[in-house]
């Protein structure tokens, strides 16, 4: 079968009818489209097609017809003939794809150049760049504006750990947040988001505030420090700290639980997750009473946290039931995914401490939020400069999509 395969590239000023004019011209010659890709940026078109000219048709004639239709449109069409071997090589050369998300207070050329240079050194090619945040207004720069872009890459990444370490170093020097994800079907279909609670969903550590109220703040802090040095495991340190709360009144406990403040962006994040149908959970080594209060306030689907024993209106210093430590957090995430009938790769986990690392590691997307250095270095994704709602950008949502969701929710609330 004597057919020709031609790569067609069109670039220039975009016009509403250009795509229709081009394809209708090709249709006149019964041309088959084997591949097509197109993008318009700032009214400039970049269009690529691989087409097959049928037997009995001349590619030169088709090219002249296309060029004639391009006249007066401020566009240039280029043609390159491919032989069978080149086309088969192109078909067989499909490569994995990755998404790098960059988040900063106005992305600078220096920041982007650093990321572009790093991905290039790891044999990754930038395919496309998409802005997720709204258009930036001109201003005096006194108020930082959050800007986020999504960079689509292709190539075979031989050492993702090294790339992540190099990006982490650049992010620290140039002050931006980033995420690197393989672009799979699971990345586009997350269904469950699990939160650590203390210092992640809420500001601060509840146990520290309870200890302060009870007058044992220094003793609790000393045990926490010993645990961080590796001298105590989480379960032992937790039991010792709870023992120091013996005699704390239930009223004081309730007051502290009622006074916890959400971290920046938490309310917007959970509101958006609920709108788009995600399931949410708290998986925490903190206190169930605090988690249950947040569940009622925010509409979180489930809470898994520690229960301390209260008898006759006072804390007994004992823990009721099992203690939720690092490994138990990961187990609970797996169990929730099984109960929801979803793959573990469809889950997102967000935390800040070392006891969150197993949960972050087993989730499809594990995000270290304003985390300690060891957690930020170990986790695959980190947000260090912005609020919790920045997770929505890592999920691929745009500001316009989120604004539309908020308008829909407001409209529904007004009608009810």
């Amino acid at each position: 079968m004597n057919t020709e395969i031609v790569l067609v590239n069109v670039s220039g000023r975009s016009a509403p009818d250009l795509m229709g004019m081009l394809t209708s011209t090709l249709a006149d010659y019964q041309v088959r489209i084997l591949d097509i890709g197109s993008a318009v940026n700032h009214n400039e078109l970049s269009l690529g097609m691989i087409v097959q000219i049928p037997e009995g048709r001349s590619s030169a004639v088709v090219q002249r017809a296309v060029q004639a239709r391009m006249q007066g449109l401020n566009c240039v069409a280029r043609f390159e003939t491919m032989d069978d071997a080149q086309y088969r090589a192109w078909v067989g050369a499909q490569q994995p794809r990755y998404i790098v998300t960059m988040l900063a207070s106005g992305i600078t050329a220096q920041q982007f150049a650093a990321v572009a240079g790093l991905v290039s050194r790891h044999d990754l090619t930038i395919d496309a760049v998409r802005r997720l945040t709204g258009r930036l207004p001109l201003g005096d720069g006194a108020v930082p504006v959050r800007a986020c872009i999504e960079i689509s890459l292709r190539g075979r990444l031989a050492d993702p750990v090294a790339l992540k370490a190099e990006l982490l170093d650049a992010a620290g020097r140039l002050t931006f947040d980033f995420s690197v994800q393989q672009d799979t079907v699971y990345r586009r279909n997350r269904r469950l988001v699990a939160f650590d609670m203390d210092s992640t969903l809420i500001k601060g550590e509840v146990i520290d505030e309870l200890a302060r109220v009870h007058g044992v703040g220094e003793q609790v802090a000393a045990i926490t420090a010993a645990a961080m040095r590796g001298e105590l495991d989480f379960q032992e340190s937790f039991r010792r700290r709870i023992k120091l709360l013996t005699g704390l009144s239930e009223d004081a406990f309730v007051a502290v639980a009622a006074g916890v403040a959400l971290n920046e962006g938490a309310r917007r994040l959970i509101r958006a997750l609920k709108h788009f149908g995600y399931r949410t959970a708290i998986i925490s080594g903190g206190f169930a009473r605090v988690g249950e209060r947040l569940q009622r306030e925010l509409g979180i689907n489930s809470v898994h946290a520690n229960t301390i024993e209260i008898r006759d209106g006072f804390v007994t210093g004992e823990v009721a039931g099992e203690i939720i430590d690092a490994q138990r957090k990961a187990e609970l995430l797996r169990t929730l995914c099984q109960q929801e009938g979803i793959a573990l790769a469809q889950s997102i986990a967000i935390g800040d401490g070392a006891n969150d690392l197993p949960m972050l590691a087993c989730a499809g997307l594990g995000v270290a939020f304003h985390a300690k250095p060891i957690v930020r270095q170990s986790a695959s994704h980190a947000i260090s400069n912005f609020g919790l709602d920045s997770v929505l950008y890592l999920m691929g949502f745009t500001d316009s999509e989120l604004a539309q969701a908020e308008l829909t929710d407001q409209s529904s609330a007004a009608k009810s």
Side-chain angles (χ1 to χ4, degrees), residues 306-369:
N306 294 308
T307 301
I308 62 172
E309 190 178 77
I310 296 178
R311 188 181 303 146
D312 300 325
F314 295 93
V315 172
T316 67
E318 301 296 327
V319 181
E322 67 175 343
I323 293 177
I324 296 179
D325 59 9
Q327 294 306 319
R328 183 58 180 150
K329 284 187 170 189
E331 291 169 6
L332 283 166
L333 180 62
R334 293 189 184 96
T335 299
L336 284 173
C337 288
Q338 291 171 357
Q339 291 173 349
E340 295 293 333
I342 64 173
L344 193 58
Q346 292 177 274
S347 67
I348 297 172
I350 308 169
D352 74 294
N355 66 329
D356 294 312
L357 280 173
M359 179 173 71
L360 301 185
C362 73
L365 175 63
V367 182
F369 178 72

Side-chain angles (χ1 to χ4, degrees), residues 85-347:
Q86 288 174 314
Y87 181 73
R88 290 194 186 97
W90 174 79
V91 170
Q94 296 187 60
Q95 297 174 317
R97 292 184 176 274
Y98 298 87
I99 295 292
V100 170
T101 308
M102 285 184 66
L103 184 65
S105 295
I107 292 171
T108 66
Q110 185 182 21
Q111 291 167 334
F112 190 91
V115 172
L118 286 173
V119 299
S120 175
R121 285 200 291 276
H122 283 266
D123 297 323
L124 298 173
T125 300
I126 295 177
D127 263 350
V129 180
R130 183 170 72 117
R131 176 172 42 81
L132 301 183
T133 43
R135 296 178 177 179
L136 298 179
L138 291 176
D140 58 11
V143 179
V145 179
R146 181 167 59 179
C148 184
I149 57 174
E150 186 179 87
I151 307 169
S152 177
L153 309 168
R154 60 179 167 84
R156 300 198 178 276
L157 180 55
D159 194 344
V161 174
L163 174 60
K164 189 252 179 177
E166 292 167 18
L167 284 170
L168 190 65
D169 177 68
R173 288 186 289 103
L174 301 175
T175 317
F176 63 88
D177 291 336
F178 74 92
S179 167
V180 182
Q181 303 175 62
Q182 189 164 1
D183 191 14
T184 66
V185 65
Y186 293 118
R187 186 192 77 85
R188 299 185 294 273
N189 288 280
R190 312 288 191 198
R191 301 310 310 151
L192 170 70
V193 183
F195 298 88
D196 172 54
M197 185 168 61
D198 295 57
S199 296
T200 299
L201 192 57
I202 62 174
K203 296 178 181 178
E205 301 285 327
V206 171
I207 196 168
D208 291 342
E209 181 61 18
L210 291 173
R212 186 192 66 77
V213 169
H214 198 47
V216 292
E218 291 185 3
Q219 295 96 307
V220 166
I223 295 171
T224 301
M228 292 181 68
R229 292 193 300 268
E231 298 168 9
L232 297 170
D233 65 18
F234 178 81
Q235 292 215 14
E236 177 63 21
S237 68
F238 188 75
R239 290 187 188 280
R240 289 192 185 184
R241 285 178 289 175
I242 295 305
K243 185 65 72 175
L244 287 170
L245 297 180
T246 301
L248 175 70
S249 72
E250 184 175 14
D251 289 344
F253 191 106
V254 170
V256 169
V260 297
L262 293 171
N263 261 320
E264 178 190 355
R267 199 176 299 277
R268 181 176 186 243
L269 169 59
I270 293 175
R271 187 167 57 238
L273 293 174
K274 288 172 63 179
H275 175 89
F276 291 110
Y278 289 81
R279 303 289 289 179
T280 53
I282 290 174
I283 302 180
S284 172
F287 300 116
R289 281 205 177 191
V290 180
E292 288 161 0
R293 185 223 120 177
L294 295 173
Q295 182 179 29
R296 292 189 297 271
E297 178 182 340
L298 300 173
I300 291 170
N301 295 109
S302 62
V303 173
H304 309 269
N306 294 308
T307 301
I308 62 172
E309 190 178 77
I310 296 178
R311 188 181 303 146
D312 300 325
F314 295 93
V315 172
T316 67
E318 301 296 327
V319 181
E322 67 175 343
I323 293 177
I324 296 179
D325 59 9
Q327 294 306 319
R328 183 58 180 150
K329 284 187 170 189
E331 291 169 6
L332 283 166
L333 180 62
R334 293 189 184 96
T335 299
L336 284 173
C337 288
Q338 291 171 357
Q339 291 173 349
E340 295 293 333
I342 64 173
L344 193 58
Q346 292 177 274
S347 67

Side-chain angles (χ1 to χ4, degrees), residues 10-19 39-46 70 72-76:
V10 178
S11 60
R13 184 66 61 180
S14 178
D17 57 346
L18 192 151
M19 184 78 77
V40 175
N41 283 299
H42 301 287
N43 210 31
E44 288 291 315
L45 171 72
S46 177
M70 294 293 102
L73 291 178
N74 293 317
C75 284
V76 175

Side-chain angles (χ1 to χ4, degrees), residues 36-59:
I36 185 168
S38 176
V40 175
N41 283 299
H42 301 287
N43 210 31
E44 288 291 315
L45 171 72
S46 177
L47 167 67
M49 289 192 292
I50 297 177
V51 301
Q52 186 178 34
I53 312 296
E55 189 174 11
R57 299 286 186 176
S58 166
S59 65

